[in-house]
Amino acid sequence: MNLAEEIRRLSKNKKAVILAHNYQRPEIQDIADYVGDSIELSRKAMIERDAELIVFAAVDFMAESAAILNPNKRVLLPTLEARCPMAQMLNVEEIKKAKAHYPDAPLVLYVNTLAAAKAHCDVCCTSANAVEIIESLDAETVLFGPDRNLAEFVQRKTGKTVIPVPEWGFCPTHLLFQPEDVRVLKMQHPDAVVMVHPECSFEMQNVADFIGSTSQMCRYAMKSQAKTFIVGTEEGLLHRLRKDNPGKKFVLAYDGAVCPNMKLNTLERLYAALKEERHVVTVPEPVAKKARKALERMFEVTS
Ligand code: 13P
Ligand code: SF4
């Protein structure tokens, strides 16, 4: 049996739509209906009105957001254990403490959070729109979580005071990138353009020519006249970059930059999930209702 063909056949029969994040394995990206960054996939999940099933090849918080935004559709996460460690770094206790310290500051949460945390925030954001969201707020001091690097990036861009909650939330994969590695690669590729994700450290952001979400990097590479790119994000993005830009060269800024959680999804697991219609992601309605408000507010600001 050709697994890829079988998945496509099953998906059609079950009126499913397969969404894959830019960090998924190449074979998953290749059979997906859509490949994108976190905000693009959330939007896709909402506009696919005829779909009865959404198979979300990514990690927990992305599938949870799709379930929150689509209460009438079933959302499947192929691997139940595919969890983002950054999302686990922020709990409700921490949020309550921060709000008690800064009662007048709005709370903006990165979508890389669990639904229970989202339910306590004023508005959500992704790395693609964090600056726009913070700028839209009528407040000079803002609480922001859980990624400290993204918080600092937004603070530099907006000039507002952005307080990280918790103090040290981070992505273990993006923390692996070091500016020294980029300097060595620049010696080998002197004309290369450096693109990094805002989850990278301040030092990495300082050596970058472009900082953006995964799909923003794709668009930047397409438009750029440059022929070589050094890329500071999870290695899965290179598949899409190479596919979309056959004449250009993409070099990962650190070979070990792999998100083990994203990589838990395999074609076999995706096939089993679709066939058995598991694992259905659910969020209790009282939590979903509040989290939905924060996600919808993000869409209102960015539409
Ligand atoms: P993007 O929204 O840029 O795709 O990022 C999601 C993510 O998990 C980055 O590590
Ligand atoms: Fe989470 Fe980092 Fe993996 Fe993105 S790359 S899903 S932030 S652990």
Side-chain angles (χ1 to χ4, degrees):
M1 170 175 74
N2 179 320
L3 209 49
E5 277 173 19
E6 192 56 20
I7 291 171
R8 291 298 334 148
R9 191 190 64 77
L10 260 183
S11 175
K12 200 170 164 218
N13 288 351
K14 291 186 181 237
K15 290 195 171 167
V17 60
I18 302 175
L19 306 178
H21 187 261
N22 286 321
Y23 296 160
Q24 289 296 289
R25 295 170 186 269
E27 59 275 21
I28 292 186
Q29 294 191 28
D30 290 346
I31 55 113
D33 293 293
Y34 300 104
V35 181
D37 67 6
S38 43
I39 192 164
E40 289 171 337
L41 295 180
S42 299
R43 281 192 203 275
K44 282 287 178 213
M46 287 197 297
I47 58 171
E48 284 297 310
R49 295 198 193 285
D50 296 336
E52 287 171 12
L53 264 183
I54 297 170
V55 185
F56 217 123
V59 288
D60 54 355
F61 72 85
M62 293 191 197
E64 240 186 29
S65 294
I68 291 166
L69 291 165
N70 298 277
N72 300 326
K73 292 175 194 155
R74 272 177 313 146
V75 178
L76 308 180
L77 184 63
T79 314
L80 207 53
E81 297 76 19
R83 297 195 186 107
C84 168
M86 185 205 281
Q88 311 282 335
M89 288 177 196
L90 183 61
N91 59 41
V92 174
E93 278 316 298
E94 201 89 40
I95 291 176
K96 286 185 178 162
K97 254 198 283 175
K99 281 188 166 187
H101 265 90
Y102 298 94
D104 299 327
L107 173 66
V108 180
L109 288 188
Y110 193 22
V111 285
N112 297 38
T113 41
L114 298 177
K118 284 187 181 80
H120 287 266
C121 80
D122 295 285
V123 56
C124 288
C125 74
T126 73
S127 54
N129 60 27
V131 171
E132 198 182 348
I133 296 284
I134 303 273
E135 267 171 353
S136 76
L137 296 171
D138 184 18
E140 282 312 304
T141 301
V142 176
L143 295 169
F144 186 96
D147 188 33
R148 187 177 175 118
N149 289 321
L150 183 58
E152 286 178 358
F153 171 72
V154 172
Q155 175 159 285
R156 278 195 300 282
K157 288 277 179 191
T158 63
K160 296 195 181 192
T161 305
V162 181
I163 317 257
V165 188
E167 204 177 341
W168 286 107
F170 62 92
C171 163
T173 303
H174 285 86
L175 220 64
L176 296 169
F177 292 106
Q178 301 288 336
E180 292 70 31
D181 293 330
V182 174
R183 278 183 206 114
V184 172
L185 287 170
K186 275 289 247 185
M187 283 183 230
Q188 294 161 16
H189 309 281
D191 298 328
V193 163
V194 181
M195 314 189 285
V196 312
H197 197 276
E199 288 176 14
C200 287
S201 67
F202 171 67
E203 292 77 13
M204 269 301 284
Q205 292 181 25
N206 265 347
V207 297
D209 300 294
F210 179 76
I211 305 169
S213 79
T214 52
S215 288
Q216 285 174 332
M217 283 190 244
C218 291
R219 286 191 284 278
Y220 181 83
M222 281 259 223
K223 282 195 196 143
S224 169
Q225 300 295 314
K227 289 275 172 271
T228 307
F229 299 81
I230 296 169
V231 185
T233 195
E234 208 271 351
E235 61 95 37
L237 188 68
L238 273 77
H239 177 66
R240 183 169 161 201
L241 287 166
R242 287 174 181 145
K243 208 167 152 181
D244 291 351
N245 303 277
K248 298 180 180 176
K249 188 180 171 113
F250 297 93
V251 183
L252 192 61
Y254 173 66
D255 274 345
V258 177
C259 173
N261 315 286
M262 284 281 184
K263 290 328 197 234
L264 283 174
N265 295 319
T266 58
L267 272 191
E268 287 75 13
R269 285 180 173 159
L270 204 152
Y271 171 71
L274 191 52
K275 191 168 170 227
E276 291 160 31
E277 298 186 18
R278 67 177 198 207
H279 311 91
V280 181
V281 178
T282 53
V283 179
E285 188 48 28
V287 174
K289 196 175 163 192
K290 291 185 191 157
R292 193 175 301 127
K293 251 182 151 170
L295 285 164
E296 284 172 354
R297 194 158 169 217
M298 166 178 80
F299 288 122
E300 278 161 26
V301 175
T302 55
S303 65

